[in-house]
Amino acid sequence: MKSSRAAIALRRLTPAMFALLLSLSGAVTAMDAPDTSQYPNYPSETPAQFTPVTGSYDYVERDVMIPMRDGVKLNTVILIPKGTTHAGIVMTRTPYDAKELTHHVLSGHLGPMLEGYDNATDVIVEDHYIRVIQDIRGKYGSEGDYVMNRPVHGPLNPTPVDDATDTYDTIDWLVKNVPESNGKVGTIGISYDGFEPLMSLVNPHPALKVAVPMNPMVDGWMGDDWFHHGAFRQQNMAYIYEQSASRDNFYKWWTSYHDDYDLFMQAGSAGELGRQYGMEQLGFWNKLVAHPAYDSFWSEQAVDKVLAAQPLKVPTMLVHSLWDQEDIYGALAVYRAIKPKDTGGNMVKLVMGPWHHGQEIEDASALGAIRFGSDTGKYFREHILRPYLAQYLKDGAPKADIAPVTAYQTGTNQWQRLSHWPLACEDGCKTKSRALYLQPDNKLGFSAPATGAGYDEYISDPAHPVSFRARPSQPIGYDNGLTWSQWLVDDQREASGRTDVVTYVSDVLTQPLTIAGAPMVHLVASTSGTDSDWVVKLIDVYPDQVSEQPEMGGYQLAVAMDIFRGRYREGFDTPKPLAANQPLAYRFELPNANHVFLPGHRVMVQVQSSWFPLYDRNPQTFVPNIFWAKPGDYQKATQRIYHAADEASYIALPVIGD
């Protein structure tokens, strides 16, 4: 029926109407057709291939993808001073974007390009080294899978590749494909980039002539980035989030709080905060949460233990910062592990400077409020790093006159040339241990308590933890005015005025008190809970007035301080509940110090039970895994610090002289 009606309607159209209908039909068809027209007189302004003009540059850049033994290619930036021949190669491997680390400022001059992290720019540029920075496997321009501090091949890494093999393969390619080089390579780097030179020492390539690990990540549980003596460094969650969520750190940590103290308090536990951020998607986070104790996951990848099992083949200079707010454990742990292998005394050097993490490549005339009177970073680069690299990387360079240990002594502000560091002290060492006792009436001295009983008491409340800095608590970071790098030299008066921090102070010193080594805490304490943290700080208290620097009057400068999680009192691998209300002995090391308490100063010790939000709160009720502590687990506890004759608390100081 519909067809016949349509035919009758068409027969009734006039010729003119029919022609109009056909034209409209054609217009619709034309609108539906794709546009195939060309614009030869209006071409794109972007060339198919652009070639930069770099004839005026004082360097040549080569961006290459270097193949590894498993076929994965790693993005590598090679910067060669123009006209250079027979030059040594200074190589850094990084998870922090090789392109960015070699292009801090876009310039035709190599110096401005490199000025910044992670380059000792003056040494590299002025000595005409070939600079190589490579993205590690799985990060930024490199192929492959990323694993945080990838363990060497073994139980924790079943693959045939690791950072050691990747370094070997990279060096092998460089010495065969960079004709301007002399075939000598040195590895260098700070922090994670300092972990990589340590990996280069595992089955090293013959062309590797020297390694300079600076502030390296070594043992993430014992005292570097993730834990300290079992307490979790929860402010590093932002780093884990950004570093692990994508190849190029695209996903950024976010917060709805100005004060990190509030951010971490609202979540309750670190595990709950991770859940709020979706961190269960991150492989490393899941590993970390699953291994809160020092089990084989941590001990088998600890780099000092790995290197202790390796022959010592490559000259190595370990660089340590006395106020390293991130990796204060690693360099000296490696020193203890490999120095005994240095039977000839010329393979292992140690440098200890008055720096924050990585400050040795920057201006280092001051750290926070502390002034040194000279640029200690420049001294290191000019008088230690420059001749040391030259000895091994320059053809015909003389042997560097560098002491086995070069240590900056704080307090007197002077460099020292030492034959060894006291931690590896041989017979005849001038260092001896002296017990500095916590005494009644909040006194501190070298005389043991004479009373038969005694303790000081405070209430530790997880609802009001002690802040590790004056609030508002800043996040970890170095940019936009953040002062994270200075927190270890913050004035400790902020804490000493709290009722949940117990403080002991010596008389005013009439003679210098010199220490060199790791102070050892011997604490006798009890808690009414079944778990507890203990934070102990060794502090230099300045005179009430300092004429040459008035703001330092009464300043409380931390010389060494750290935290210990009580559940590991009997062993780091086996957490156990504490016996409530019973005095128990705790023993742990504070970070190394090389310091003189000057006449007119006083010595102080502070003890507390939280250090927030840098470290997660101990619920003070024993739970299997503190990452998943529930709100009801967090309970107030009565803490007692004992100073009785038979229950004495003290710090064993590594004192130099009488």
Side-chain angles (χ1 to χ4, degrees), residues 183-448:
K184 300 177 181 179
V185 179
T187 53
I188 190 171
I190 295 168
S191 194
Y192 202 133
D193 297 0
F195 162 81
E196 294 295 334
L198 294 176
M199 289 294 97
S200 74
L201 302 177
V202 179
N203 300 317
H205 192 283
L208 179 64
K209 302 303 180 184
V210 65
V212 185
M214 299 190 285
N215 312 109
M217 300 169 72
V218 170
D219 190 323
W221 194 95
M222 198 63 70
D224 283 332
D225 290 272
W226 318 126
F227 297 84
H228 273 223
H229 299 129
F232 175 55
R233 279 200 155 196
Q234 63 182 0
Q235 276 195 302
N236 274 332
M237 290 174 67
Y239 175 88
I240 296 167
Y241 182 92
E242 296 186 3
Q243 189 71 7
S244 302
S246 67
R247 182 180 298 270
D248 60 356
N249 290 40
F250 173 81
Y251 298 101
K252 301 301 181 184
W253 182 262
W254 54 273
T255 178
S256 299
Y257 296 87
H258 175 64
D259 188 344
D260 257 13
Y261 192 102
D262 294 326
L263 168 66
F264 286 92
M265 280 299 293
Q266 65 80 28
S269 68
E272 173 58 22
L273 185 64
R275 188 196 64 77
Q276 293 176 6
Y277 278 75
M279 292 180 69
E280 67 276 2
Q281 302 169 73
L282 308 179
F284 179 68
W285 174 251
N286 291 330
K287 293 175 184 176
L288 190 151
V289 171
H291 298 277
Y294 196 65
D295 57 16
S296 61
F297 173 78
W298 297 110
S299 62
E300 289 183 5
Q301 64 179 292
V303 181
D304 56 326
K305 296 179 175 63
V306 171
L307 292 179
Q310 290 281 320
L312 182 61
K313 296 181 178 180
V314 179
T316 301
M317 175 186 285
L318 293 155
V319 182
H320 172 73
S321 295
L322 290 165
W323 282 292
D324 189 324
Q325 79 286 357
E326 294 181 23
D327 295 309
I328 203 166
Y329 178 86
L332 290 172
V334 173
Y335 178 78
R336 291 193 297 267
I338 68 175
K339 184 59 179 176
K341 299 173 180 290
D342 185 12
T343 55
N346 59 355
M347 291 289 285
V348 179
K349 306 289 187 184
L350 174 64
V351 179
M352 303 173 64
W355 307 311
H356 66 64
H357 187 71
Q359 194 180 7
E360 58 267 34
I361 65 168
E362 306 171 5
D363 181 288
S365 55
L367 175 55
I370 312 304
R371 300 175 185 171
F372 304 121
S374 64
D375 187 345
T376 61
K378 186 173 181 63
Y379 180 92
F380 160 71
R381 297 191 304 275
E382 288 295 317
H383 298 286
I384 303 171
L385 181 62
R386 184 191 295 275
Y388 185 73
L389 290 178
Q391 175 181 343
Y392 296 104
L393 297 182
K394 285 183 171 289
D395 296 338
K399 182 179 179 181
D401 180 21
I402 298 173
V405 177
T406 307
Y408 193 86
Q409 187 181 70
T410 57
T412 60
N413 292 345
Q414 61 182 357
W415 286 101
Q416 299 173 310
R417 292 171 60 93
L418 306 174
S419 61
H420 52 259
W421 180 240
L423 280 176
C425 211
E426 301 168 355
D427 291 340
C429 177
K430 297 179 181 179
T431 305
K432 64 180 180 181
S433 178
R434 290 189 66 187
L436 183 66
Y437 289 96
L438 312 187
Q439 299 174 334
D441 301 318
N442 299 106
K443 298 292 186 179
L444 190 67
F446 290 109
S447 299

Side-chain angles (χ1 to χ4, degrees), residues 530-597:
T530 51
D531 199 0
S532 180
D533 287 348
W534 305 105
V535 179
V536 176
K537 309 173 187 176
L538 177 65
I539 296 167
D540 184 342
V541 182
Y542 280 58
D544 293 332
Q545 289 186 311
V546 178
S547 57
E548 66 273 19
Q549 195 178 353
E551 66 273 19
M552 294 301 294
Y555 200 93
Q556 297 180 7
L557 172 66
V559 174
M561 52 184 178
D562 216 336
I563 188 171
F564 183 91
R565 183 141 285 174
R567 61 175 49 210
Y568 299 111
R569 189 181 76 90
E570 298 183 31
F572 290 131
D573 59 339
T574 309
K576 293 182 179 179
L578 303 177
N581 298 311
Q582 292 189 22
L584 300 172
Y586 300 87
R587 185 176 184 270
F588 60 98
E589 276 189 355
L590 298 181
N592 279 251
N594 191 37
H595 185 73
V596 178
F597 297 85

Side-chain angles (χ1 to χ4, degrees), residues 145-156:
D145 298 321
Y146 175 66
V147 177
M148 185 81 74
N149 297 112
R150 179 183 287 264
V152 296
H153 170 71
L156 299 176

